[in-house]
Amino acid sequence: MDLVNISIPNAALTALLGYLVVFLGLVLLMIVVMLQGKLMAPKKKAEQPAPAAEVKAAPAPEKEKAPGAAGELKLYDTDPKDAAMIMAIVADSLGKPLNELRFLSIKEIKEDSEK
């Protein structure tokens, strides 16, 4: 078979066989990965229903803050979106998580155009 002057039907058959081999390889790989996932997955125990006494939930506090919340933030002439961006930039430049910082207020300082 001459690979330089190959006919169109032979080229189509060669390409089709190549695609078929790759597709079958992918299917086999998918089957192996699925089997590995089933073998390695932790076995779940059957959940037991909770007794009726534990079903009652305690009343929640009226205002519960999120973990790490540091109180109220006062905004003066500042859009909340801009304030959030400023807080993120400050936290990033300090290298600390945002929930470890406390912002009391953010105020936009406008420059006089007369200067």
Side-chain angles (χ1 to χ4, degrees), residues 32-70:
V32 168
V33 168
M34 288 173 59
L35 288 175
Q36 285 289 328
K38 288 185 180 185
L39 290 175
M40 296 295 178
K43 298 187 182 190
K44 296 180 181 177
K45 295 181 181 177
E47 293 183 19
Q48 298 175 355
E54 293 181 21
V55 173
K56 296 179 184 176
E62 294 205 13
K63 262 193 168 179
E64 188 174 315
K65 295 184 179 178

